[in-house]
Structures are given as C-alpha cells and as structure tokens.
Amino acid sequence: MSHFSDDDLLALSGIQHFAFCQRQWALIHVEKQWAENLRTVQGKQLHERVDNPDFFESRGDILTTRSVPLSSYVLGLYGVADMIEFHAVEQGGVKLNGRDGEWLPVPIEYKRGRPKRDNIDEVQVCAQALCLEEMLNIEIHHGFIFYGETRHRDKVIFHTELRNSVEELAKQMHSLFKQNITPRPNYTSACKSCSLVDMCIPKLDGKHSGVAKYINKFLSRELL
Amino acid sequence: MRKLLSVLYVSTPESYLSLEGENIVISVEGTKKFQIPVHNIESVVCFGYLGASPALIGFCAKNGVGLSFVSPYGKFLGRVTGGVYGNVSLRKEQFRRSDDETKCLPIAISCITSKLNNSRVVLERCIRDHAENVDTKSLKEISAYLKINANRLQKCETLDEIRGMEGDNARAYFGVFNELILHQKKHFYMHGRIKRPPTDNLNAMLSFLYTILAHDVQSALETVGLDPYVGFLHRDRPGRPSLALDIMEEFRAFMVDRLVISLINRKQVTAKGFSRKESGEVLMDDDTRKEVLTAWQKRKQERITHPFLNEKIDLGLLPYVQALLLARYLRGDLDLYPPFLWK
C-alpha cells in the first residue's frame, strides 16, 4: 500500500462529497468553488456549536473530546473529527495521558439532517476511524452519527465492506486530484438540493458538444 | 441561478464609508446618511474618494464584496479585492491558452460574434419599432453588413484579422448610431465614437456606462476564479483588464447602448445635465449621473431567458453567467465558449 506525504493529503471531509457526487467533490476540492444554501449554512451552524478544541469532559468511564485533528498517511487523508469519545475498556484500548486503564476511541460525526438511504455519512465516520486506528495503532469497531433533525445518534459498524469502500474512494479521489480532472456532470434529482448546482450547471452535459450548433443557429437566421 | 445582489453606487463625493456591525454606513460630514447590510451587496462603487474605513475595506475583502474607487466622472482609480478566488489550475489553463494564438481564436471569435449579433439586434429593433421615423435603408444596410461579417468572422485565422474586422464593424455601427436617437437629436448626436475624452453628450454617457459595465464584468470574472487581466482578444497591457474587455464585447450593445438610447428617447436625460470643460471633455452633472445609475440598476433587475442555458435569469447576472460558462469551457465541459447571443 502506498504511503502519502504531508503535502499529498486530501481533506477527509471531502470523502462524503466524493461519495455523493464526484463532480461536486472536484468543484469544491480541485476547483475551490463553494456556494452556500440553507442546508450548508445549517450544517455550518451545527458544527460551530460542536466545534471546540478545548472541550474535555469526563463522565466516569466516558471521556469526551471535540475537534480532534486526524490523519492517515495510508489513505492520504487529513481532517478533524467533530467528537471522539474514549470508552473505558478492560483491554484492546489505548493508554491516555494521566489516566489509568485502557480507553477505546469512538468517533462521533454531527450531521444537520436525518439518516440517508445511501452510506455517504457512514464512509466519513469510517474514514475517521481508519485515521484513528493508524494514529493509535488499535482497532475500532464502531462509531456514531448524530443527526440534528432526529436528535438521535445512529451506530455505525465498521465492517469490511465499509472499510473497503473508504479505501476505494480515497484511491479514486487521489487519482482525480493528481490528474486535475473535474468529471462531467450527471444530472439527477439529487442535483436540485446541491448548493453548487448553479456553478456546476449539470444540465450542460447533454449539450456539451452543442455550442457550435447554438452559434450557427444565430448566424444563419434572418431578423426581418 | 444565484441571486442578483445590488451594487451600491456612492455618488456623493463627500461620503465616508464605514462598518457598523455587518452594515455599511455612509456618512457625510460626520452625519450618518444611510446604512445597508453588507450581505445584500455585491459590490460598492465610490465616485469620489473621501474614503472608506480600513475595517470596511477588510470586511469587504473577506466577504467577497468588490470595492472600487472611480473619479466623480467615472474614471477608474482602483479596487480592493480579497484573496484570489478559485483554482490555480483554472488560471494556469487560462494563461496557457492566452499564450497560444490558435487557442485564443475560438474564444475571440465567440466574443466578437456576440458583439456583431447584439449590435445588429439593436439596429433591427429600431427598424421594427420605428420604421416610419428612421432611415430604414441605411440601418438595414449596416445590419446586413454585420450579418455577413459575423459569418466571415468564423473563418478568421489570426487575432489581428479579428481585431481589424471588429474595428470596421464598430465604425459601421456607430456610423448609423445617430439614427437610433429619435428625440433631442440636436443635443444627442455623435461624430463617431470618441473616448479620450468624450466630447459630446452621447459619448459621455456611453463612456460612463462602459466603465460601470467593465467593473461588473471584472468582478464576475474574479468570482469564478478567472484573471480579468489575461485576455484572448485584447492584448496584454499592464493595468488593462483584457479579459474583462473581451467578455464586455458581448454586453456593450445589449446592456449599455440600448439603455443610453432609451434614456435619451424617453427624455430621462436632457442636455441641461451635461457640461463642457475647457478641454472639450463633456461631463454629466450629479443628478444626471444619479438618473443614469438608477436606470442601470433597474435594468439589471429585468428578467431574461439566457439563450444558451434556456434559464430565466436577472439581466444583471449575465456577466457572471458568461464568466461561469467561460470557466466551464476552459475546464473542458464544453466544446466551445458559448457567448451571449441576444435574440
């Protein structure tokens, strides 16, 4: 497996964009385009509430930290976990500075909406777990996604299939990034809710070869 | 499409702009005259240069609000922009193509095709609406000339050829421009397009609005991450926003010329609003400038259907939409750059 250098790391948060739409990811991460809509602003507000690098809470056998920097040189990703809980375990955890016993990290990702039909939220929290596993040299079995609309956390099991899809997505991300490619649009109903729809212009794809025709139509017409 | 935000034109030269919370506050001699939330503003154009507070300048830069300073008569002085938008690979692609004449050609042809088409529509509209009052014959003649040339243009093999054609066509078009003026003809008449400085009322209005348009186009290009100084038809020249000038060719007739004609024909401006300096330069007075700017703002809110996207947009978003289409073309989404072709 290849190992990436600091300079090659891509934003971990992008894996969710990439799983949703490769073109959206490329617009954000390759072309550095961004636009807000109601959803993105709500998401940002939720994260602002969660975000606090100095937060540390201890409740018996659970320690909670927020805004934890993460990276994986195997996947080539870096980012910040919204929240990580450290659960006291008999064995299989890690030692924590100034604490007795062993602790198992459990990543928790905050999302504004509700659980989705696809697994794009799961791949993100799984990618966080893979980073933690590499950083702490342990195995993490599960994490959670907290959904703002249902105000409920859903458990995510990091099974092999999910881990594989994270690795595959990370690989594809690096391939497109290296080639500096923005994939062609593929217009679907999901485009309507995408904040980048106006700069993506997904409907253009059908006409991508039609500009010459468009110009010729104007050149040949009679006005009077 | 994204929302059209207002451009704030500060036309009183004694105005001072400052930031209060997230509002732009305009004061004159220490008294607050006006305030507006920055979030409703696309950019700010200050005529006159008493100034703006560093806090406001910083806030505008951070939030992508363009801030320009022009002389009271519309001469561009400078602008404040924040960090460079967008992607370095897009700009490098723009630079690479700009250096390669064969790759400049299709873009330059698109822009000038649009210019010829849109100039022609201005003439044709006049024939259609005022056939009895105008010299239909010469208008038709020039319209036909523009049409033939638009077709010839497609076969141009050098940028110089295109520039030459562009010049010939502009002369022909402005040669019949006076025909479009139906009222106040005595006071609004041009002997050709004269820019430096404009020496008649008509040229003064055109020059003023072209400057305003250039500002909008430049902001639009920056918003999508293109460099407004690196053009395809206009040659590089330090300080000249060549790409903005290239793209502007598409909007001159449609956005400016038509507005100037209707302001005169509807008598919204009159000869009294202009004065001539010793040098021969003709200037608008404050009220006329305000009238012109108000009409410009109103015009930008009109809805049109974009001929290529087939989508309803505010007319004021045209520079943004064309900048976006150019960026998408440079990124490989389109086979050619689709210019704005007025129907």
Side-chain angles (χ1 to χ4, degrees):
Chain A
M1 198 172 268
S2 69
H3 280 254
F4 292 93
S5 70
D6 272 335
D7 213 30
D8 298 326
L9 301 185
L10 294 174
L12 187 153
S13 57
I15 202 162
Q16 194 211 11
H17 302 137
F18 196 84
F20 171 71
C21 166
Q22 295 194 359
R23 182 169 165 95
Q24 187 203 49
W25 172 82
L27 289 170
I28 299 169
H29 298 272
V30 179
E31 299 196 22
K32 297 287 173 198
Q33 300 282 333
W34 181 249
E36 301 276 15
N37 67 11
L38 184 63
R39 286 161 210 261
T40 63
V41 171
Q42 284 172 343
K44 213 158 84 180
Q45 285 172 344
L46 177 70
H47 279 92
E48 271 163 16
R49 280 205 297 279
V50 185
D51 181 42
N52 181 358
D54 299 325
F55 180 90
F56 190 87
E57 189 184 68
S58 168
R59 275 190 298 185
D61 54 1
I62 297 181
L63 306 173
T64 308
T65 58
R66 289 183 180 172
S67 308
V68 184
L70 302 170
S71 62
S72 161
Y73 291 90
V74 176
L75 293 172
L77 300 175
Y78 76 99
V80 179
D82 288 335
M83 185 193 269
I84 294 175
E85 287 182 351
F86 288 90
H87 293 213
V89 286
E90 292 290 320
Q91 54 180 13
V94 289
K95 300 268 184 219
L96 288 179
N97 212 1
R99 302 260 162 193
D100 292 333
E102 293 194 13
W103 301 84
L104 187 69
V106 176
I108 294 142
E109 173 64 16
Y110 278 66
K111 294 285 168 208
R112 57 158 281 287
R114 48 179 60 250
K116 301 174 183 68
R117 248 175 271 140
D118 47 35
N119 71 346
I120 65 172
D121 293 339
E122 280 88 341
V123 292
Q124 194 182 355
V125 67
C126 181
Q128 294 172 1
L130 296 183
C131 290
L132 283 166
E133 288 186 345
E134 187 179 318
M135 292 161 78
L136 303 170
N137 193 23
I138 51 157
E139 238 178 74
I140 302 172
H141 175 251
H142 70 277
F144 291 97
I145 303 167
F146 175 86
Y147 285 102
E149 269 181 37
T150 56
R151 307 206 59 74
H152 185 268
R153 51 162 72 169
D154 283 23
K155 191 168 181 173
V156 181
I157 308 287
F158 304 135
H159 49 72
T160 318
E161 203 185 317
L162 184 59
R163 287 166 183 266
N164 287 345
S165 59
V166 170
E167 282 167 18
E168 185 52 38
L169 288 168
K171 216 187 283 173
Q172 290 175 11
M173 275 162 69
H174 277 281
S175 161
L176 284 191
F177 193 81
K178 211 167 149 189
Q179 299 172 73
N180 192 12
I181 290 175
T182 304
R184 283 272 161 76
N186 174 25
Y187 186 72
T188 69
S189 58
C191 292
K192 287 193 198 87
S193 60
C194 175
S195 75
L196 297 181
V197 63
D198 290 334
M199 50 186 71
C200 168
I201 330 183
K203 285 184 179 169
L204 272 196
D205 193 42
K207 312 182 210 170
H208 81 267
S209 59
V211 182
K213 218 168 101 189
Y214 160 75
I215 294 173
N216 279 328
K217 195 181 87 190
F218 276 83
L219 287 174
S220 57
R221 82 210 156 111
E222 279 303 329
L223 280 172
L224 288 176
Chain B
M1 205 30 86
R2 70 175 207 158
K3 247 181 93 186
L4 176 69
L5 299 174
S6 307
V7 178
L8 179 63
Y9 297 103
V10 184
S11 61
T12 313
E14 298 82 33
S15 308
Y16 184 74
L17 282 74
S18 56
L19 186 71
E20 225 172 73
E22 302 204 332
N23 294 296
I24 300 175
V25 172
I26 300 177
S27 322
V28 176
E29 286 168 5
T31 313
K32 193 195 276 189
K33 292 282 179 199
F34 179 77
Q35 74 172 55
I36 185 167
V38 183
H39 305 287
N40 296 332
I41 296 293
E42 173 113 28
S43 61
V44 182
V45 184
C46 302
F47 295 89
Y49 24 90
L50 197 59
S53 74
L56 179 74
I57 293 172
F59 195 85
C60 286
K62 183 173 163 246
N63 289 281
V65 177
L67 180 58
S68 291
F69 297 93
V70 296
S71 82
Y73 311 115
K75 189 179 175 298
F76 176 76
L77 297 169
R79 52 194 278 118
V80 178
T81 44
V84 182
Y85 287 90
N87 151 14
V88 64
S89 4
L90 172 66
R91 275 190 297 281
K92 283 182 87 172
E93 182 61 31
Q94 178 191 355
F95 288 18
R96 274 193 293 268
R97 296 211 200 186
S98 169
D99 274 343
D100 180 343
E101 175 151 352
T102 55
K103 290 185 173 161
C104 288
L105 276 173
I107 304 176
I109 289 174
S110 277
C111 294
I112 300 304
T113 301
S114 164
K115 179 177 189 163
L116 297 188
N117 175 75
N118 300 347
S119 305
R120 185 173 163 232
V121 179
V122 169
L123 304 181
E124 300 272 358
R125 287 266 168 121
C126 177
I127 301 173
R128 188 191 69 187
D129 298 339
H130 307 286
E132 302 82 34
N133 307 318
V134 297
D135 179 1
T136 315
K137 190 170 158 276
S138 56
L139 287 176
K140 270 190 178 156
E141 214 175 86
I142 301 303
S143 166
Y145 178 70
L146 293 178
K147 187 187 172 195
I148 292 168
N149 281 341
N151 282 288
R152 259 192 218 146
L153 179 71
Q154 310 305 311
K155 295 178 198 85
C156 278
E157 281 170 2
T158 65
L159 290 173
D160 277 336
E161 248 181 283
I162 299 176
R163 291 182 190 116
M165 277 187 84
E166 194 274 317
D168 292 344
N169 286 293
R171 259 185 303 279
Y173 168 73
F174 280 115
V176 289
F177 200 79
N178 289 320
E179 279 306 313
L180 309 172
I181 308 298
L182 304 169
H183 299 284
Q184 317 190 73
K185 234 180 159 113
K186 213 174 102 199
H187 302 294
F188 292 93
Y189 191 88
M190 64 155 70
H191 299 279
R193 175 86 186 103
I194 297 160
K195 296 169 222 174
R196 292 196 188 97
T199 50
D200 59 64
N201 299 348
L202 200 44
N203 272 304
M205 278 172 88
L206 287 172
S207 287
F208 179 73
L209 278 173
Y210 289 149
T211 308
I212 303 291
L213 174 62
H215 169 270
D216 284 6
V217 175
Q218 205 169 327
S219 299
L221 292 168
E222 277 165 1
T223 304
V224 305
L226 290 165
D227 186 330
Y229 292 89
V230 178
F232 300 103
L233 176 65
H234 286 83
R235 290 193 188 92
D236 290 349
R237 192 166 131 184
R240 172 160 71 187
S242 297
L243 182 59
L245 296 176
D246 289 354
I247 300 302
M248 236 179 98
E249 299 292 5
E250 302 174 39
F251 313 128
R252 286 175 191 270
F254 178 68
M255 290 179 78
V256 172
D257 300 357
R258 211 164 63 124
L259 181 67
V260 165
I261 294 162
S262 75
L263 280 169
I264 296 168
N265 285 344
R266 287 193 206 134
K267 297 178 184 154
Q268 278 169 274
V269 296
T270 61
K272 272 185 271 167
F274 295 79
S275 63
R276 185 184 293 275
K277 284 174 51 171
E278 300 72 22
S279 61
E281 180 179 12
V282 168
L283 297 170
M284 283 183 260
D285 66 19
D286 283 357
D287 289 340
T288 304
R289 254 200 329 269
K290 214 172 268 178
E291 182 75 39
V292 169
L293 286 171
T294 310
W296 173 253
Q297 285 280 70
K298 236 172 105 187
R299 173 117 174 81
K300 287 208 293 190
Q301 285 157 10
E302 284 170 27
R303 301 279 281 172
I304 56 159
T305 301
H306 190 278
F308 183 71
L309 292 178
N310 251 324
E311 199 177 316
K312 272 209 180 331
I313 58 164
D314 293 314
L315 194 152
L317 281 181
L318 262 184
Y320 170 74
V321 172
Q322 291 308 127
L324 193 64
L325 288 170
L326 179 60
R328 298 274 34 114
Y329 164 66
L330 294 174
R331 288 294 301 174
D333 287 355
L334 296 157
D335 59 339
L336 281 170
Y337 165 60
F340 170 71
L341 295 167
W342 184 17
K343 286 187 187 177

